[in-house]
Amino acid sequence: MSPAFVLLLCLFIDLVGFGIILPILPFIVQSFGGGEMTGGLLFGIYAGMAALSGPLWGRLSDRIGRKRALMMTLVGAGISYVVLGLAHSLLMVFIARALSGAMAGNVGVVMAAMADLTPNEGRTKAMSMIGVSFGLGFAAGPGLAALVASFAGADALALSAFAAAALSFTASILALTRLPSDSARHESAHADSFRQDDEQRIRSRRFLDFLRGPEKGLLMLQFVIASAAQSMIFAMSGFWANAVWGWNERQVGFLMMSVGLVVAFLQAFVVARLADRYGEIRTYMIALSASIAGCIMVLTLPQHLIAVLIAFPLMMGGLTLYFPVLNSLVSQRNAAHVQGAALGLANGFSAIGRVIGPTLGGGLMMLYGPKAPFFAAMGFTSLGVLWAIREIRRVPRAPSPPRRRSRT
């Protein structure tokens, strides 16, 4: 197996474990007496820890190698799921999710490793393959959770958590046995490219150097905007479906599974082609516009099942396209020897959005009803569309090179 395939497989296995937990969490909160706000905070604390740890994991992977950093995050994630399976109170659930968020840096590490393996022109496709792993993981995980909920009943939380732990430990063993040692490659690849000021910048943790200039700063802000809208919809989907349709964790699991399948399809067959044809910025604007269309369908046709089954994949599928597009832009606009730090910082900004989104969504749903989070998500995505329009005007696309005529 190639290193790129092993990386994607490790990420997929870990995300299956992560996806198992998602459909069940809203109902776990309700079983302990919590509501929408508590559920939003539970999603938010995971993202908050990811925001704090993401840049540090990326920086650590620059220094000790991608393989070691990836294995550490996978083992840590497995431990967090064991704690969740043993939880007997909301406090333990919060502790488990905080620990799991602190280990969420494996996504940034995998992105940096994929960036090491691909040239600039293939960067969007590489990032879209990571998105495929996300989509398949989010499809398989909630689907597995729905099956567990069908047969396990009251033991669904513990069994799902222990299954997630087993998957994370399996991924760490796969990384240990199948990924090549990257210490020598890491040192040789960076020895010539490191300059004294870059090394000092990374050692001093001056991550704000990656934000110099309005273009870089606004680009990082897009991670906050897109991930806030995405996580708000994702975190509130279970509460919305329960409030509007009376669905349980089994039905929510199958809904999320369908969303994951659509995301995997878009990442595998659509995003790279859109980026090649229209460029990253226009692809980002198309993705946000699709998400806005899905929000409008939920707001105007909430009682129509067909509309709901179309709207949620449209919303989430559109928002997930931001992942490969924006990460490709960050990777292209930063030097090769600071890829881990730059992408780790981007992952940290995404985590900030994932703190804002669920927390704000839970509060809005509690105060104003089930429609409120979707109005807020439309507001966030509209800001992203405005940035895309600005970027298109600032940097017009270069004309395509003329095709050569055959001499025959």
Side-chain angles (χ1 to χ4, degrees):
M1 293 185 286
S2 68
F5 179 78
V6 174
L7 286 169
L8 294 174
L9 184 58
C10 289
L11 185 61
F12 166 74
I13 294 173
D14 184 57
L15 288 170
V16 171
F18 176 77
I20 290 175
I21 304 301
L22 291 180
I24 299 176
L25 274 180
F27 303 95
I28 298 305
V29 171
Q30 292 175 354
S31 69
F32 285 115
E36 294 90 350
M37 190 64 193
T38 305
L41 290 173
L42 192 61
F43 279 94
I45 194 172
Y46 172 91
M49 294 301 296
L52 295 174
S53 64
L56 299 179
W57 281 115
R59 176 179 177 269
L60 185 64
S61 74
D62 283 333
R63 299 181 63 82
I64 68 172
R66 315 299 188 203
K67 178 178 178 178
R68 296 177 186 176
L70 179 61
M71 289 175 56
M72 292 168 66
T73 58
L74 291 172
V75 172
I79 294 173
S80 73
Y81 294 135
V82 172
V83 175
L84 182 62
L86 299 175
H88 52 76
S89 66
L90 264 181
L91 177 61
M92 286 192 68
V93 175
F94 271 94
I95 292 173
R97 297 308 290 161
L99 179 59
S100 182
M103 298 297 121
N106 51 17
V107 178
V109 174
V110 170
M111 287 191 298
M114 291 294 286
D116 292 340
L117 297 171
T118 54
N120 280 341
E121 57 270 18
R123 201 63 52 80
T124 301
K125 183 176 181 180
M127 296 303 172
S128 69
M129 294 309 296
I130 296 177
V132 173
S133 297
F134 262 90
L136 293 176
F138 283 142
L144 187 57
L147 293 176
V148 171
S150 300
F151 298 105
D155 298 327
L157 169 63
L159 290 178
S160 299
F162 292 141
L167 288 167
S168 290
F169 291 138
T170 301
S172 67
I173 295 172
L174 182 64
L176 174 65
T177 57
R178 293 294 183 179
L179 282 179
S181 176
D182 56 2
S183 57
R185 177 198 58 79
H186 183 81
E187 292 174 3
S188 61
H190 291 69
D192 296 333
S193 58
F194 258 117
R195 297 190 300 271
Q196 186 66 29
D197 57 337
D198 291 317
E199 187 174 1
Q200 183 179 2
R201 177 174 66 178
I202 295 176
R203 285 182 177 177
S204 61
R205 302 183 183 181
R206 291 166 55 192
F207 293 112
L208 292 180
D209 284 352
F210 293 106
L211 306 178
R212 285 182 177 176
E215 287 74 25
K216 284 189 175 182
L218 289 175
L219 174 59
M220 289 294 182
L221 183 61
Q222 295 311 301
F223 285 91
V224 179
I225 290 172
S227 63
Q230 181 194 47
S231 60
M232 183 183 300
I233 294 172
F234 204 82
M236 294 297 109
S237 294
F239 292 104
W240 182 90
N242 182 255
V244 176
W245 284 86
W247 285 359
N248 57 26
E249 57 268 29
R250 178 174 176 270
Q251 294 159 317
V252 173
F254 284 126
L255 175 64
M256 291 187 175
M257 182 181 69
S258 67
V259 169
L261 290 173
V262 172
V263 168
F265 174 82
L266 291 175
Q267 299 283 3
F269 301 107
V270 176
V271 62
R273 296 180 182 180
L274 283 177
D276 289 340
R277 183 169 183 176
Y278 300 109
E280 281 85 356
I281 304 298
R282 286 176 173 82
T283 300
Y284 180 57
M285 186 166 65
I286 292 171
L288 295 182
S289 300
S291 177
I292 291 174
C295 288
I296 293 173
M297 292 179 67
V298 168
L299 292 171
T300 56
L301 302 168
Q303 300 296 336
H304 294 76
L305 181 60
I306 299 299
V308 170
L309 295 179
I310 295 173
F312 274 91
L314 193 61
M315 284 186 295
M316 294 300 297
L319 284 170
T320 358
L321 293 183
Y322 92 90
F323 180 84
V325 170
L326 294 183
N327 279 299
S328 176
L329 289 173
V330 170
S331 179
Q332 293 173 27
R333 295 181 183 183
N334 286 280
H337 50 277
V338 290
Q339 291 288 307
L343 290 169
L345 181 64
N347 194 38
F349 272 90
S350 293
I352 292 173
R354 291 192 294 271
V355 174
I356 296 172
T359 306
L360 179 62
L364 290 173
M365 184 174 284
M366 181 181 67
L367 294 174
Y368 303 108
K371 290 185 177 182
F374 299 95
F375 279 111
M378 287 178 60
F380 280 115
T381 49
S382 298
L383 292 176
V385 171
L386 292 176
W387 173 81
I389 294 172
R390 176 186 181 275
E391 283 289 300
I392 291 171
R393 292 178 176 178
R394 186 180 70 87
V395 186
R397 281 193 77 196
S400 300
R403 294 182 179 179
R404 294 181 180 180
R405 295 182 179 178
S406 171
R407 292 185 179 182
T408 58

